[in-house]
Amino acid sequence: MSLKSDLVVVCGGGGFIGGHLVADLRRQGFTRVRCVDAKPQTQWYQRFPDIENLVLDLEDKSACYTALQGAHTVYNLAADMGGMGFIELNKGLCMLSVLINTHLLMAARDLGTQRFFYASSACVYNADKQRDPNVTALKEEDAYPALPEDGYGWEKLFSERMCRHFREDFGLLTRVARYHNVYGPFGTFEGGREKAPAAMCRKVIAAKLGGPKELEIWGDGHQTRSFMYIDDCLKGTQMLTASDFVEPINIGSSELVSINQLADIVEEIAGIKLNRSYNLKAPKGVNGRNSDNTLIKQVLGWEPDTRLRDGMEKTYRWIYDQMAGRGS
Ligand code: NAD
């Protein structure tokens, strides 16, 4: 177990999940938090001047040794990633994130890090199990035989295995979560890396703020997903990191909705109805995906439980404030 005075390093802390994790650690009273990201600090979603903030490119091996100097616990949330629109068109960039996790693992091993958390993804799951929108929720064993999302998913699966072998061969205590679609405030909602919940909010808010009363949906809208609110992601991540469980595990909501239902929710929050069009050529990912939470309930006695409607309300309000604040 880590003490509140132990040094915790959040890699990718300028990003969406990392930024929330840093904020949460501060709230809990951790006194030594180091936040590391490649982006200039002005682009970090959340930034706290009272903690140690480092701008480093963690693909570089020596940067990883600088980042992890003295670390007790490391959360690796750094990756070159985004929603389907990004990962389907940037497979090479996604796979280069293998350098980040590999070099961080080497530094953690050599510098005596006590706990190493790695953020994997539901994109590791075999595509053949995700062809039907009426999905059977994905259990952890469904990652094999391997047929993950091309590019991004292969990198995640490989990095999961690196964590396993660093634990087996070098005794580094690694923990691996397979996140299923995380959403919430202080994340990307435009620019090409955004994911479905934020993109849906942005499109509906644009109409609400005076744009055309149109809503373009990627795919036929029947594809299904589950979405996890950021607070659940933070809770599961920290519980898993403190636990004795060593295998990759789902951290995701099991509340399954179609993309059309997600659009219904956002329209209802906004109090508006839009004309929908369906872009069948846009990247849309697998037809159906849900998280089977049997294992997490056994291991942690808990599962992500924020209702989608509640989490989307908070997300919508934050994106609304960003867009209304700059007048678009
Ligand atoms: P994000 O893009 O908001 O944050 C990732 C951060 O990593 C960014 O701030 C980026 O600048 C940083 N980064 C990229 N390359 C780097 C490098 N070379 N050196 C240092 N920093 C670098 O993404 P997120 O949503 O916060 O995701 C965090 C982690 O969780 C990622 O590993 C992602 O693959 C994983 N994940 C996220 C989701 C989700 O729905 N958000 C789902 C599954 C898995």
Side-chain angles (χ1 to χ4, degrees):
M1 286 300 289
S2 69
L3 302 171
K4 298 244 161 90
S5 54
D6 288 328
L7 177 62
V8 182
V9 180
V10 180
C11 300
F16 164 52
I17 300 172
H20 280 283
L21 180 59
V22 168
D24 193 52
L25 291 166
R26 275 178 84 251
R27 258 194 307 271
Q28 292 175 56
F30 280 83
T31 54
R32 295 173 65 216
V33 179
R34 181 181 294 152
C35 180
V36 186
D37 204 285
K39 288 186 297 203
Q41 292 192 29
T42 48
Q43 292 173 25
W44 294 13
Y45 289 117
Q46 303 190 61
R47 188 163 64 96
F48 304 95
D50 57 336
I51 65 155
E52 188 184 354
N53 294 313
L54 298 181
V55 175
L56 292 169
D57 179 354
L58 296 171
E59 287 185 9
D60 177 59
K61 188 174 163 192
S62 67
C64 291
Y65 282 76
T66 304
L68 301 201
Q69 212 49 252
H72 177 281
T73 302
V74 173
Y75 292 95
N76 177 16
L77 299 158
D80 204 352
M81 60 90 64
M84 269 303 146
F86 180 81
I87 65 176
E88 284 200 4
L89 300 173
N90 294 281
K91 299 187 179 107
L93 282 183
C94 289
M95 291 203 81
L96 279 174
S97 295
V98 77
L99 295 174
I100 302 175
N101 198 58
T102 303
H103 290 147
L104 282 175
L105 281 170
M106 291 167 77
R109 174 197 62 189
D110 297 346
L111 297 172
T113 297
Q114 297 295 306
R115 289 271 157 148
F116 185 98
F117 170 87
Y118 176 62
S120 184
S121 161
C123 287
V124 300
Y125 283 113
N126 187 311
D128 283 339
K129 307 242 173 187
Q130 304 173 79
R131 300 211 184 278
D132 186 352
N134 300 313
V135 285
T136 306
L138 294 160
K139 285 187 189 316
E140 283 74 3
E141 68 239 35
D142 292 331
Y144 296 98
L147 189 56
E149 175 80 32
D150 202 3
Y152 178 72
W154 276 107
E155 190 279 319
K156 290 291 185 195
L157 199 60
F158 177 87
S159 289
E160 285 190 359
R161 298 195 75 87
M162 286 285 285
C163 289
R164 160 185 286 273
H165 298 310
F166 268 61
R167 176 173 53 77
E168 292 169 343
D169 297 357
F170 307 121
L172 178 65
L173 296 181
T174 56
R175 302 288 181 264
V176 176
R178 291 180 184 151
Y179 291 154
H180 291 244
N181 295 307
V182 190
Y183 71 98
F186 296 99
T188 311
F189 62 91
E190 61 190 355
R193 289 178 186 252
E194 63 278 16
K195 298 184 162 211
M200 201 69 81
C201 289
R202 185 198 71 231
K203 291 174 186 177
V204 172
I205 292 165
K208 188 83 183 162
L209 291 174
K213 304 290 175 250
E214 310 285 341
L215 178 58
E216 187 198 67
I217 291 181
W218 287 10
D220 62 11
H222 296 301
Q223 66 272 35
T224 52
R225 291 290 185 281
S226 71
F227 299 98
M228 167 168 61
Y229 190 59
I230 183 67
D231 290 1
D232 289 333
C233 174
L234 298 179
K235 183 170 177 182
T237 297
Q238 291 172 84
M239 283 170 88
L240 176 66
T241 304
S243 80
D244 291 331
F245 192 73
V246 298
E247 299 295 334
I249 189 167
N250 284 334
I251 302 188
S253 164
S254 57
E255 183 184 347
L256 189 73
V257 289
S258 68
I259 296 300
N260 274 328
Q261 287 170 320
L262 179 69
D264 293 343
I265 289 175
V266 180
E267 285 182 338
E268 192 208 46
I269 292 168
I272 196 170
K273 271 277 169 210
L274 302 173
N275 298 317
R276 292 186 192 179
S277 62
Y278 294 91
N279 182 349
L280 302 180
K281 295 206 173 113
K284 71 172 185 74
V286 294
N287 288 331
R289 175 180 290 163
N290 197 6
S291 178
D292 183 305
N293 287 348
T294 311
L295 187 60
I296 193 171
K297 283 191 275 186
Q298 269 168 23
V299 170
L300 301 182
W302 169 86
E303 67 177 314
D305 56 4
T306 304
R307 284 180 50 235
L308 182 60
R309 175 68 174 73
D310 297 339
M312 285 303 288
E313 175 102 37
K314 293 180 188 161
T315 308
Y316 178 93
R317 299 281 162 232
W318 181 79
I319 297 174
Y320 186 93
D321 288 347
Q322 307 310 301
M323 293 175 66
R326 66 183 187 207
S328 68

